[in-house]
Structure formats: structure tokens, C-alpha cells
């Protein structure tokens, strides 16, 4: 922390957290007008994972965990209004930026495994989008109020798949394969 460019770090922290706070400040008065409203805060990592792992740098760690806590706190404030808040994390996301960084496209994303073998458990942005869609239409969504969830976890509950028909479970894979030093193998994790 003592070697970080403090201005840059504080700017990152503010942009990571303030965007969520500003959106909530203006959107929640509309949400609470009738019961059944639903808020999803997106972050990187589940509460279970982040509570056991240092997330690369102090400012990044604080920013990602703050969003998990924010969803929990919003759940407390929204519950009396019959509304729900959750935190959701995708797995290893095959975003355009990530594909570009590996020099691949969605059509040949598996080629990135040459540089990073564990990329085989990645998911498209559609997968986490499908998680949100299933939560949004779940008449019992309040059962998740205040929880930290992952797209892979919810795929098993709701039965949705990624574009290729798989159900990548990156957070379980990271803990059971990557962190255990095992060779890349998505068998049982897709």
C-alpha cells in the first residue's frame, strides 16, 4: 500500500464504489414504490471466496468487498419495502477486453488456453446475464436477499447454460483446481 500512487488508488476506489452508491441513491426511490423490486450489485468474487483470499492489491480488495457488503446492507434497507438486493459475480469472464488481451475472439477463445490453460473455465457475458434474468423472474427471489452469488452457482439452481450449452463454475474451479496446483481440466466444471 505504501508504494501505491495514492491519487490514482483513491480515484479507482471512488469510481468502483461511488458508481454503485450514486445509482442506488437515484434508483431505489423508484424501486421501493411497490413490493417485488430487485437490485443486483455486480462485483468480482463471492463473499466466501473473497473472505479467504487477498484480491491482488489492497485497494482492489477493498473495492470488490465493499460491493458485497453494500448488497448485504441494501438488503436490510429494502426488505421492509418487500424488495431484494443481491451481489452477483461472474466467473472468469470472456469480455471483449479479456479476449483482446489474449488476442482471440469468441469464435476461437479456446486458443487462449495456450497462454493461460485455466481460461478453459471462462464464461461469456451472456451467462451472468442469464443469471440476472432468472433471478428477476423468480417469484421467490427474496430467498437470496443479501447474499453473494455466482453465475455458476445459480446455473445449477435455475438450469440455465452459457451460449455453448455448458454451465461453467469458475469459482469452484479456481478453488479446487487452480489453487490446488492441478493441471487445467474443466471436466466437471463446465
Amino acid at each position: 500500500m505504501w508504494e501505491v500512487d495514492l491519487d490514482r488508488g483513491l480515484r479507482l476506489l471512488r469510481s468502483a464504489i461511488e458508481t454503485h452508491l450514486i445509482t442506488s441513491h437515484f434508483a431505489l426511490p423508484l424501486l421501493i414504490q411497490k413490493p417485488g423490486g430487485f437490485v443486483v450489485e455486480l462485483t468480482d468474487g463471492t463473499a466466501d471466496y473473497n473472505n479467504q483470499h487477498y484480491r491482488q492489491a489492497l485497494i482492489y480488495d477493498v473495492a470488490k468487498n465493499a460491493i458485497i457488503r453494500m448488497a448485504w446492507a441494501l438488503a436490510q434497507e429494502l426488505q421492509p419495502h418487500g424488495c431484494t438486493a443481491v451481489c452477483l459475480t461472474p466467473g472468469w469472464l470472456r469480455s471483449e477486453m479479456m479476449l483482446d488481451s489474449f488476442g482471440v475472439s469468441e469464435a476461437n477463445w479456446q486458443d487462449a488456453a495456450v497462454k493461460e490453460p485455466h481460461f478453459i473455465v471462462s464464461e461469456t457475458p451472456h451467462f451472468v446475464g442469464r443469471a440476472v434474468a432468472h433471478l428477476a423472474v423468480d417469484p421467490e427471489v427474496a430467498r437470496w436477499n443479501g447474499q453473494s452469488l455466482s453465475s455458476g452457482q445459480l446455473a445449477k439452481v435455475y438450469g440455465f447454460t452459457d451460449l455453448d450449452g455448458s454451465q461453467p463454475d469458475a469459482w469452484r474451479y479456481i478453488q479446487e483446481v487452480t489453487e490446488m496446483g492441478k493441471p487445467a481440466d474443466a471436466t466437471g466444471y463446465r
Side-chain angles (χ1 to χ4, degrees):
M1 179 62 202
W2 49 93
E3 295 176 357
V4 168
D5 176 325
L6 192 55
D7 287 335
R8 186 171 176 236
L10 290 173
R11 188 171 45 255
L12 179 125
L13 189 61
R14 280 191 302 270
S15 66
I17 297 172
E18 285 180 1
T19 54
H20 292 260
L21 293 170
I22 292 167
T23 301
S24 289
H25 176 78
F26 290 105
L28 294 181
L30 300 172
L31 185 84
I32 63 172
Q33 289 180 6
K34 74 181 217 188
F38 174 62
V39 173
V40 177
E41 295 293 340
L42 283 171
T43 194
D44 178 24
T46 64
D48 289 341
Y49 184 84
N50 287 358
N51 285 340
Q52 301 297 318
H53 296 83
Y54 178 61
R55 299 307 309 275
Q56 303 170 11
L58 183 117
I59 291 173
Y60 185 84
D61 188 271
V62 168
K64 296 308 174 182
N65 282 295
I67 303 309
I68 293 169
R69 183 62 182 191
M70 181 178 168
W72 182 86
L74 283 175
Q76 311 316 302
E77 293 189 7
L78 291 172
Q79 191 169 17
H81 299 279
C83 300
T84 300
V86 301
C87 190
L88 179 61
T89 182
W92 197 342
L93 195 62
R94 284 198 313 269
S95 64
E96 292 163 344
M97 186 175 77
M98 186 61 70
L99 293 170
D100 287 347
S101 74
F102 282 119
V104 296
S105 68
E106 185 57 36
N108 68 335
W109 69 268
Q110 295 93 339
D111 293 348
V114 172
K115 292 180 185 175
E116 174 47 69
H118 295 293
F119 196 61
I120 59 169
V121 77
S122 65
E123 67 189 58
T124 71
H126 295 270
F127 193 55
V128 72
R130 289 174 176 178
V132 173
H134 278 80
L135 287 167
V137 298
D138 182 349
E140 298 177 17
V141 72
R143 66 185 159 151
W144 303 110
N145 200 30
Q147 293 187 44
S148 169
L149 310 164
S150 73
S151 50
Q153 169 193 13
L154 291 176
K156 288 177 181 38
V157 173
Y158 293 114
F160 63 88
T161 64
D162 206 343
L163 295 178
D164 64 0
S166 70
Q167 293 180 319
D169 191 352
W171 292 102
R172 188 169 61 86
Y173 178 91
I174 289 167
Q175 292 177 310
E176 296 176 5
V177 177
T178 308
E179 290 179 356
M180 301 309 281
K182 295 178 182 177
D185 182 2
T187 305
Y189 298 95
R190 285 203 70 83

